[in-house]
Amino acid sequence: MAWVTKDSTETYNQTPEPPREYTKKEKAANWWHYHWMAVVVAVLAVVFGVWIIKDTVFQTRPDVQVAYVGTSDLPTDTVTALQDALTPFCSDLNGDGKVVVQVDSYTVDFDAANESTDAYYQMAGVTRLSAELSSGGKTYIFLLEDPEGFESQTGALQYLDGTVPDDPETTDADWREMVYRWTDCPVLTGLDLGDYTSDAVQNDSGSSQELLSHYYIGIRGAWTKDADDLLSGGEALWQALTAGAVSTVTKEG
């Protein structure tokens, strides 16, 4: 058998082919292909961190909270006007350089026999109100549609003379001695609240003062020193708003 061999003088090119030089666009695409998930996670972490900082550091905190409790929400125009009108009576209690009064609405119907009550809104309102009336709640002044039902169900009010019932769990407290009518208070009736347009019915409008004239205001009781310290910020506002007030509620039968 004959063997075929290469000529000993034949030479071979031993230099490897140089690697391909990728363009900047191709390099960027390749990097993104392997790292896009890490980038997305990093961006979300930054956004979440900024949100937390904004919420904890830069969010405006109310100095005084007022709660409206009724079977339907107050019109937005009325709430805004009331917050603005109450602000001059308050001071910067939390030291953030701003004076803010916040009016929160709680939709609750204390008439258990009312079959037209929306169960969903009732449950949501009761849950929110119960949370606010817990030991950490800071609402001191209440604007009430049904003060009798409110006191019967919550036992949260104190008497107008500043005392509290011996046992807030009992229903023996006389709600008539715990509230003023809106119209009993010269300061309240003198507030310039303008007119409102109903959020639910756009052609329903009227005077915010006339609307609020059907409500009552009461003060939350403090049965412990901690609660008293927590709610003390609303005392000055309460005294200012009820200056010159004479209760006519006790004359009701």
Side-chain angles (χ1 to χ4, degrees), residues 75-126:
T76 300
D77 294 336
T78 301
V79 171
T80 301
L82 183 57
Q83 290 177 157
D84 292 342
L86 296 181
T87 299
F89 296 93
C90 299
S91 58
D92 181 15
L93 298 176
N94 56 24
D96 63 357
K98 300 178 181 179
V99 178
V100 178
V101 177
Q102 180 172 296
V103 177
D104 297 309
S105 294
Y106 300 88
T107 306
V108 179
D109 188 349
F110 295 105
D111 183 3
N114 188 354
E115 297 181 356
S116 63
T117 300
D118 187 297
Y120 172 79
Y121 285 105
Q122 176 77 355
M123 180 177 64
V126 169

Side-chain angles (χ1 to χ4, degrees), residues 17-32:
E17 184 178 347
R20 178 187 171 187
E21 188 69 26
Y22 290 94
T23 65
K24 291 183 178 179
K25 184 176 180 180
E26 289 175 324
K27 291 179 179 179
N30 183 65
W31 186 92
W32 177 254

Side-chain angles (χ1 to χ4, degrees), residues 3-230:
W3 295 91
V4 178
T5 61
K6 292 184 179 293
D7 193 295
S8 60
T9 61
E10 186 176 353
T11 60
Y12 298 92
N13 185 6
Q14 301 297 322
T15 304
E17 184 178 347
R20 178 187 171 187
E21 188 69 26
Y22 290 94
T23 65
K24 291 183 178 179
K25 184 176 180 180
E26 289 175 324
K27 291 179 179 179
N30 183 65
W31 186 92
W32 177 254
H33 176 75
Y34 290 102
H35 298 88
W36 69 269
M37 184 174 293
V39 172
V40 171
V41 171
V43 170
L44 291 177
V46 170
V47 171
F48 182 72
V50 171
W51 180 80
I52 291 293
I53 293 174
K54 180 180 178 181
D55 185 63
T56 57
V57 178
F58 298 105
Q59 184 182 37
T60 300
R61 307 283 183 181
D63 295 285
V64 176
Q65 294 174 221
V66 177
Y68 158 76
V69 184
T71 55
S72 60
D73 288 335
L74 290 176
T76 300
D77 294 336
T78 301
V79 171
T80 301
L82 183 57
Q83 290 177 157
D84 292 342
L86 296 181
T87 299
F89 296 93
C90 299
S91 58
D92 181 15
L93 298 176
N94 56 24
D96 63 357
K98 300 178 181 179
V99 178
V100 178
V101 177
Q102 180 172 296
V103 177
D104 297 309
S105 294
Y106 300 88
T107 306
V108 179
D109 188 349
F110 295 105
D111 183 3
N114 188 354
E115 297 181 356
S116 63
T117 300
D118 187 297
Y120 172 79
Y121 285 105
Q122 176 77 355
M123 180 177 64
V126 169
T127 300
R128 292 180 58 241
L129 182 60
S130 298
E132 182 55 34
L133 291 174
S134 67
S135 58
K138 297 182 179 180
T139 300
Y140 184 72
I141 299 175
F142 289 89
L143 179 62
L144 304 169
E145 179 180 341
D146 178 10
E148 180 178 12
F150 178 85
E151 175 58 22
S152 175
Q153 295 297 316
T154 68
L157 299 178
Q158 69 179 40
Y159 292 111
L160 296 177
D161 63 4
T163 60
V164 295
D166 293 334
D167 185 355
E169 300 298 328
T170 67
T171 57
D172 297 334
D174 189 349
W175 67 272
R176 298 176 183 83
E177 299 178 6
M178 297 176 161
V179 294
Y180 289 113
R181 297 178 189 271
W182 178 276
T183 52
D184 288 342
C185 306
V187 174
L188 293 178
T189 56
L191 297 177
D192 181 9
L193 302 178
D195 297 326
Y196 70 89
T197 299
S198 173
D199 301 326
V201 184
Q202 291 301 315
N203 61 357
D204 180 17
S205 60
S207 165
S208 290
Q209 268 289 351
E210 172 61 25
L211 178 65
L212 295 176
S213 68
H214 302 288
Y215 297 101
Y216 304 75
I217 62 168
I219 51 178
R220 181 176 175 179
W223 279 264
T224 66
K225 184 181 184 305
D226 289 341
D228 187 60
D229 293 340
L230 186 66

